[in-house]
Amino acid sequence: EVQLVESGGGLVQPGGSLRLSCAASGFTFSSHWMHWVRQTPGKGVVWISRINSDGGTSNYADPVKGRFTISRDNAKNTLYLQMNSLRAEDTAVYYCARGPYAFDIWGQGTMVTVSS
Amino acid sequence: DIVMTQSPDSLTVSLGERATINCKSSQSVLYSSNNKNCLSWYQQKPGQPPNLLISWASTRESGVPDRFSGTGSGTDFTLTINSLQAEDVAVYYCQQCYDTPYTFGQGTKLEIK
């Protein structure tokens, strides 16, 4: 079964850090661009980052640029999102999704809450 | 950034009738290299992630009922749901993949009358 499973979310104080993971199975992970997308009730669905199949190219949305880092380990079939200097406005459900253009596979999401 | 604007924000349609959702991009999302529009439609039900219905503006994903169809080009796109079923109650999003940051519309909530 083709599947993405996120983990690593939780409650963190403003200024803190979290690392999200996304474990892939059922497909050739190393062949696909991967993305992180987040969703909040107020701002809807927002794309935040992507990485190409070998990890050599990545892009970020402006609100997270310089604070978040996307990476992948193709040997472990795992995508990561390192989130530093977290702010209240980063509170959201974070999804990983398979690309490159349309997101045809999504994980179930992991909740990140930034609050003191 | 390319701004995606959906209309209406919410829609109430009777069972068996047609639902039409519009999506307008602030600039063309037509790739000249393949003459295809980089525009996708998603359905999201409560407690679930978005589910891809249509890619490249009009290509239905495997397993998606043929009552769902996508049309449009350039900056104006439409998702049509014919013969509305109860299970179609959801929020629908369009998304452009022409350029990063990839952007989504604000969503259209579809309900049954």
Side-chain angles (χ1 to χ4, degrees), chain A residues 54-75:
Chain A
D54 67 11
T57 299
S58 59
N59 302 95
Y60 299 89
D62 283 347
V64 307
K65 203 172 292 184
R67 299 187 299 124
F68 289 12
T69 303
I70 191 171
S71 63
R72 65 192 298 160
D73 186 335
N74 286 342

Side-chain angles (χ1 to χ4, degrees), chain A residues 35 37 39 44-47 50 59-62 95 100-109, chain B residues 1 31 38 40 42 44 47-52 55-56 61 93 95 97 100-104:
Chain A
H35 303 257
V37 177
Q39 185 170 25
V45 184
V46 177
W47 173 87
R50 71 173 181 175
N59 302 95
Y60 299 89
D62 283 347
Y95 296 102
Y101 300 110
F103 307 145
D104 63 345
I105 305 295
W106 295 65
Q108 285 299 308
Chain B
D1 297 3
Y31 274 142
C38 211
S40 304
Y42 300 85
Q44 187 176 32
Q48 297 182 18
N51 177 53
L52 178 64
S55 60
W56 298 109
E61 289 297 293
Y93 296 95
Q95 172 241 332
C97 47
T100 58
Y102 292 169
T103 44
F104 290 80

Side-chain angles (χ1 to χ4, degrees), chain B residues 65-111:
Chain B
D66 61 7
R67 64 179 182 273
F68 290 89
S69 63
T71 57
S73 184
T75 62
D76 292 281
F77 301 91
T78 300
L79 174 69
T80 301
I81 310 170
N82 289 310
S83 302
L84 193 72
Q85 304 295 304
E87 62 263 31
D88 299 335
V89 169
V91 179
Y92 292 84
Y93 296 95
C94 61
Q95 172 241 332
Q96 66 81 18
C97 47
Y98 180 82
D99 194 13
T100 58
Y102 292 169
T103 44
F104 290 80
Q106 79 277 18
T108 295
K109 186 174 184 179
L110 176 60
E111 296 175 309

Side-chain angles (χ1 to χ4, degrees), chain A residues 51-111:
Chain A
I51 189 168
N52 74 335
S53 56
D54 67 11
T57 299
S58 59
N59 302 95
Y60 299 89
D62 283 347
V64 307
K65 203 172 292 184
R67 299 187 299 124
F68 289 12
T69 303
I70 191 171
S71 63
R72 65 192 298 160
D73 186 335
N74 286 342
K76 294 183 177 180
N77 291 334
T78 303
L79 175 72
Y80 302 100
L81 185 68
Q82 177 66 45
M83 304 187 295
N84 298 329
S85 303
L86 282 161
R87 306 166 179 166
E89 54 265 35
D90 296 318
T91 295
V93 175
Y94 285 74
Y95 296 102
C96 58
R98 187 176 79 171
Y101 300 110
F103 307 145
D104 63 345
I105 305 295
W106 295 65
Q108 285 299 308
T110 187
M111 182 71 205

